Amino acid sequence: MNRAPISLFAAVSLALSAAAGCSPKSPGPAGGEGTANPQAREQILRFNNGAEPETLDPAIMTGNPEHMLAMAIFEGLTSYDPKTLEPRPGMAETWSVSRDLLTYTFKLRKGAVWTNGDPVTADDFVYSWRRAILPKTAAQYAYQFYYIKGAREFNKGIISDFSKVSISAPDKATVVVALESPTPYFLDLTSFQTYMPVHQATVEKFSDKWTRPENMVSNGPFRLKEWTPEKQIVLTRNPSYWNAGQVRLAEIVAFPYSSLDTAYSLFRQGGIDWMRGIPLPKIDEIKRLPEYNVAPWLATYFYRLNVTRKPFDDARIRKAFSIAIDRDSLVREIVKGGQVPALGFCPKMHGYDGVSGPGYDPETARKLLGEAGYPGGKDFPKVDLLFNTDEGHKQIAEAVAQMWKENLGVTVGLCNTEWKVYLDDVSNLNYQIARAGWIGDYTDPNTFLDMFVTGGGNNNTGWSNAEYDRLIADAAREIDMGKRMELFRKAEKILVCDELPVIPFYFYVKQDLLKPWVKGIYPNVRHLHPFQPMYLE
């Protein structure tokens, strides 16, 4: 996900925890601010979501801020366990898997209804999934359905008959899905945003305005009450949710402050209970606060390079820009949170030890740039670096641009845009270099590597490599885990050693600030936190 693994893998957790010294702290009060929470009686949670949402339509959303809200407003066939992220019953009360691991049969729970009182049926899921993979919907995450027989061909327009896609509802309470090959993380995907259902009559009546508060019909533990752009989104407890008796929060107020300095000031003043992310320039101060928490995160910070435009159509230049970056210095002196310098794109996880591309080597970088026709950076064209509004991204961009200036003799301009504009520019390849981050949508190397196949919905680099595509496709069909991981290693080597359409910087740790009265938030390697168990004490 510009965002979103089931179980916690010890290799990731131990490596990042050791680097950060980061057993998560028990949050306590900030000095002199007291511990009383005036919102506890009303059970109103206020948190900073970090950006104005691109959309609240689960089929087309791509970002982590959107996914956080989707988990509150909608619910898929399965949902996330708040502690382990293992799939647990959501709209489906039970499910079964065929002996060959290819056919999943979900039985919907009785009594599950939409916020307007309509029952949630199997047809809702068939409609919603068809809508997500329709070519005209242009969902970037449509490829997450490609595990299902016929879904790829339908999404690519190769077939137009949806009955040839193996998604069916034999009755109102049953959803049956047949897969192309065994997919061990499929039950995780059925919790994911793109697999969440939408209410057909509402979508068809209101078209792109169906996500407005006065129109939206949803099925999650909370419902949309207010959406004031650039100010706040208010969600209120959904009394018709099947498990409403276990939902303790009455209301959630999500602030879209991309300025973490603003959010931090409000947090210190008691106006926010939970900050997802911290202002990087204040990290030394914040690390001393008792509310500061740090935990492992299955995520990579990187830059995309637009290979469809000069000068980054030349792999030598892409490699020169990568090895001119001193990642150790960046992590040690700029981000300072225990992040792990990354020479590969995919973090280590159980069964997969990753690939390391070439490291810091300014001399070779200068040589490559000269071979490409720009000795000492002479006559190098104007290049801009795009990033979404955030002081941390800006600080990193300034440091990296300085490294490129010193090591390559090139000047890179900085271009800062708000979240929705940034996403649109990246999606349309309207950039040369763009800051990016990727959070594993499930715990498997595939979630980091399959997005760079030719035409992938989240590729967004213009890069294409037939051998890379073949390796990822072979890995999807391979049952032997050892052979499968070797296929991923070969693919990642092409990505970060040979072609470099991306420049990985570091593997994240997740840092946030949490008031001591907020309960029911548990550390996990994907930093996914369902709202159902949260409450204020």
Side-chain angles (χ1 to χ4, degrees):
M1 190 188 312
N2 279 347
R3 11 327 88 228
I6 297 184
S7 43
L8 304 182
F9 282 102
V12 175
S13 299
L14 291 176
L16 291 178
S17 296
C22 64
S23 295
K25 297 179 181 178
S26 298
E33 294 182 8
T35 59
N37 174 24
Q39 306 293 330
R41 184 172 298 174
E42 292 82 10
Q43 289 297 313
I44 301 172
L45 174 71
R46 303 153 306 170
F47 79 101
N48 185 41
N49 204 28
E52 176 68 18
E54 172 192 20
T55 178
L56 290 180
D57 185 336
I60 59 177
M61 60 177 57
T62 62
N64 186 258
E66 292 79 10
H67 189 205
M68 279 295 296
L69 298 171
M71 285 193 298
I73 301 171
F74 302 97
E75 185 170 87
L77 291 170
T78 56
S79 61
Y80 298 109
D81 183 280
K83 295 181 180 179
T84 67
L85 300 183
E86 295 285 346
R88 67 180 190 180
M91 288 292 104
E93 191 166 24
T94 62
W95 55 81
S96 60
V97 186
S98 62
R99 185 170 296 181
D100 62 5
L101 306 180
L102 293 178
T103 303
Y104 286 69
T105 302
F106 299 90
K107 292 292 183 179
L108 272 59
R109 61 178 68 254
K110 296 178 181 179
V113 297
W114 296 94
T115 49
N116 69 346
D118 289 351
V120 177
T121 70
D123 291 329
D124 292 322
F125 284 91
V126 175
Y127 166 78
S128 301
W129 293 3
R130 178 182 182 274
R131 175 176 177 263
I133 59 176
L134 270 171
K136 69 177 182 180
T137 304
Q140 290 187 42
Y141 260 123
Y143 69 88
Q144 292 289 31
F145 289 92
Y146 288 2
Y147 308 102
I148 299 171
K149 284 185 178 179
R152 179 193 299 269
E153 291 78 7
F154 185 80
N155 179 245
K156 297 290 187 182
I158 298 170
I159 61 173
S160 58
D161 183 358
F162 186 71
S163 67
K164 295 182 179 180
V165 181
S166 295
I167 302 169
S168 63
D171 58 60
K172 294 293 184 181
T174 307
V175 178
V176 179
V177 182
L179 306 184
E180 291 280 3
S181 58
T183 306
Y185 42 84
F186 184 69
L187 289 175
D188 196 352
L189 289 173
T190 54
S191 305
F192 189 61
Q193 59 201 35
T194 322
Y195 276 75
M196 291 175 178
V198 296
H199 187 256
Q200 180 175 356
T202 299
V203 173
E204 293 179 349
K205 179 179 180 180
F206 295 107
S207 188
D208 60 350
K209 296 180 175 62
W210 78 269
T211 56
R212 292 183 176 180
E214 65 271 21
N215 300 334
M216 181 179 279
V217 173
S218 57
N219 72 322
F222 295 85
R223 60 187 303 167
L224 181 62
K225 177 182 178 182
E226 173 192 338
W227 184 356
T228 306
E230 306 298 337
K231 184 178 180 183
Q232 65 181 22
I233 288 178
V234 180
L235 311 179
T236 187
R237 183 166 48 208
N238 175 14
S240 60
Y241 177 60
W242 68 269
N243 200 23
Q246 299 300 311
V247 179
R248 298 177 64 174
L249 291 175
E251 198 166 272
I252 299 167
V253 182
F255 298 107
Y257 300 132
S258 57
S259 169
L260 293 179
D261 282 329
T262 299
Y264 179 54
S265 295
L266 281 172
F267 181 86
R268 295 290 282 167
Q269 295 164 14
I272 291 177
D273 305 300
W274 181 28
M275 267 192 70
R276 301 176 66 243
I278 64 168
L280 191 56
K282 291 184 170 64
I283 186 170
D284 292 328
E285 170 191 327
I286 288 172
K287 286 168 73 172
R288 295 192 292 268
L289 297 177
E291 295 103 334
Y292 174 69
N293 294 273
V294 60
W297 201 8
L298 195 68
T300 305
Y301 193 101
F302 67 103
Y303 281 178
R304 284 184 169 95
L305 300 174
N306 184 351
V307 307
T308 69
R309 293 187 185 181
K310 291 184 178 300
F312 297 113
D313 58 337
D314 190 326
R316 294 170 297 181
I317 293 176
R318 300 196 295 267
K319 185 173 183 179
F321 269 63
S322 178
I323 64 178
I325 297 170
D326 185 350
R327 293 162 175 81
D328 291 334
S329 173
L330 192 70
V331 166
R332 183 178 63 252
E333 299 176 13
I334 305 297
V335 296
K336 300 181 183 179
Q339 294 85 351
V340 178
L343 295 177
F345 187 75
C346 182
K348 292 182 180 181
M349 56 187 78
H350 184 68
Y352 188 73
D353 55 9
V355 170
S356 290
Y360 183 50
D361 188 351
E363 183 177 344
T364 300
R366 287 187 288 271
K367 180 181 178 183
L368 287 168
L369 199 67
E371 290 174 358
Y374 304 102
K378 184 180 179 182
D379 297 326
F380 196 79
K382 182 179 182 295
V383 170
D384 288 323
L385 164 57
L386 173 69
F387 59 94
N388 57 293
T389 302
D390 177 274
E391 282 301 315
H393 298 329
K394 180 182 178 183
Q395 198 167 352
I396 291 169
E398 289 172 343
V400 171
Q402 184 61 32
M403 292 178 189
W404 286 332
K405 179 69 173 177
E406 293 176 356
N407 293 328
L408 298 176
V410 303
T411 300
V412 174
L414 304 184
C415 181
N416 171 12
T417 65
E418 59 97 8
W419 179 243
K420 288 192 284 187
V421 174
Y422 158 83
L423 289 176
D424 187 63
D425 283 344
V426 171
S427 177
N428 290 300
L429 294 181
N430 185 28
Y431 75 92
Q432 291 165 300
I433 311 171
R435 167 267 153 192
W438 190 258
I439 308 165
D441 295 325
Y442 43 88
T443 309
D444 188 272
N446 192 68
T447 187
F448 286 88
L449 300 176
D450 76 335
M451 67 173 166
F452 293 111
V453 299
T454 300
N458 284 301
N459 182 321
N460 294 335
T461 65
W463 180 68
S464 174
N465 182 282
E467 177 64 7
Y468 185 90
D469 294 349
R470 183 190 68 78
L471 290 166
I472 297 299
D474 288 350
R477 294 186 291 266
E478 181 56 63
I479 297 175
D480 183 291
M481 291 305 290
K483 293 180 180 178
R484 185 168 178 269
M485 295 304 160
E486 183 56 31
L487 290 168
F488 282 135
R489 277 187 283 271
K490 289 179 179 178
E492 189 174 8
K493 182 179 181 296
I494 293 172
L495 185 71
V496 299
C497 298
D498 303 333
E499 291 287 312
L500 292 104
V502 294
I503 300 175
F505 282 18
Y506 57 80
F507 300 124
Y508 281 95
V509 292
K510 187 59 182 177
Q511 303 169 92
D512 64 12
L513 290 165
L514 188 68
K515 293 294 186 184
W517 50 72
V518 181
K519 306 299 179 183
I521 296 179
Y522 306 97
N524 60 68
V525 79
R526 282 162 65 191
H527 201 59
L528 283 180
H529 303 291
F531 290 97
Q532 290 94 315
M534 296 185 195
Y535 65 98
L536 307 183
E537 186 175 69

